[in-house]
């Protein structure tokens, strides 16, 4: 891969990682409700989970889904159902807690990593990156370079959203504001399904 192609890949990775999507909206809400420190496992889960998904797609999972459309459809349905469940949980949350209770807790590392497998935006990002930037003459090196590019930009990009949420904590410490913020985040998260369902 030429330097220009790698720089273009970095721009693609940055733009797709920083723009709104299910992960970033959930990180924004988590930053508001739990603060940056308690959201770190969620951020790491997003980045590492996406890296694993990216490697899986690069090493052949994308071809399996193309060969078995029913599997792809099942994955979309499971992803949509789980995303709607998460949107509901965010929308009905009324707690900005530093202590965390049985009901209110940030997403765990393993949950965030597993979510990448049903996240429609993550699949589009991974499949597009592999389709556009891999070199058939050097598939392993291409997959490694794509993975490096996303590793460089993904964690800082998703951290911006959690940081922004944390910055809003003071403003949203009012229960009424927090309620409407969480409802808005839940609705926006559910709306991210629209491109997948069209």
């Amino acid at each position: 891969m030429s330097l220009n192609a790698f720089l273009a890949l970095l721009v693609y990775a940055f733009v797709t990682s920083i723009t709104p999507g299910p992960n970033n909206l959930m990180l924004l809400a988590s930053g508001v409700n739990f603060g940056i420190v308690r959201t770190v496992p969620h951020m790491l889960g997003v980045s590492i989970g996406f890296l694993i998904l990216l490697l899986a797609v690069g090493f052949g999972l994308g071809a399996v889904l193309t060969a078995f459309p029913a599997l792809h459809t099942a994955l979309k349905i499971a992803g949509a159902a789980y995303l709607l469940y998460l949107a509901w949980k965010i929308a009905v949350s009324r707690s900005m807690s530093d202590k965390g209770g049985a009901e209110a807790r940030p997403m765990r590392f393993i949950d965030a990593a597993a979510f990448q497998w049903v996240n429609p935006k993550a699949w589009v990002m991974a499949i597009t990156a592999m389709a556009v930037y891999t070199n058939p003459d050097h598939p392993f090196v291409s997959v490694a370079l794509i993975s490096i590019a996303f590793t460089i930009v993904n964690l800082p990009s998703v951290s911006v959203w959690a940081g922004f949420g944390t910055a809003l904590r003071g403003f949203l410490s009012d229960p009424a504001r927090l309620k409407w913020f969480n409802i808005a985040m839940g609705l926006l998260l559910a709306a991210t399904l629209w491109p997948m369902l069209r």
Side-chain angles (χ1 to χ4, degrees), residues 6 31 66 135 157:
F6 187 72
T66 302
N135 180 342
S157 296

Side-chain angles (χ1 to χ4, degrees), residues 11-127:
V11 170
Y12 171 77
F14 173 73
V15 169
T16 55
S17 295
I18 197 80
T19 52
N23 284 322
N24 291 337
L25 292 174
M26 287 189 299
L27 285 165
L28 177 66
S30 185
V32 166
N33 287 287
F34 305 108
I36 194 83
V37 173
R38 291 186 64 204
T39 303
V40 167
H42 186 169
M43 292 185 291
L44 292 173
V46 167
S47 293
I48 293 171
F50 180 71
L51 176 61
I52 293 167
L53 174 66
L54 192 63
L55 290 168
V57 169
F59 290 125
L61 185 59
V64 170
L65 292 177
T66 302
F68 299 99
L71 182 61
H72 186 242
T73 301
L75 190 63
K76 285 174 78 169
I77 291 168
Y82 188 57
L83 199 93
L84 289 173
Y85 166 76
L86 292 173
W88 174 254
K89 294 289 283 180
I90 289 171
V92 299
S93 174
R94 300 292 177 262
S95 172
M96 182 185 290
S97 170
D98 286 323
K99 298 174 185 170
E103 292 297 316
R105 66 169 176 79
M107 186 176 267
R108 296 174 304 177
F109 171 87
I110 194 71
D111 298 330
F115 175 69
Q116 303 321 298
W117 292 85
V118 294
N119 178 355
K121 183 182 176 189
W123 277 98
V124 169
M125 288 168 58
I127 290 170

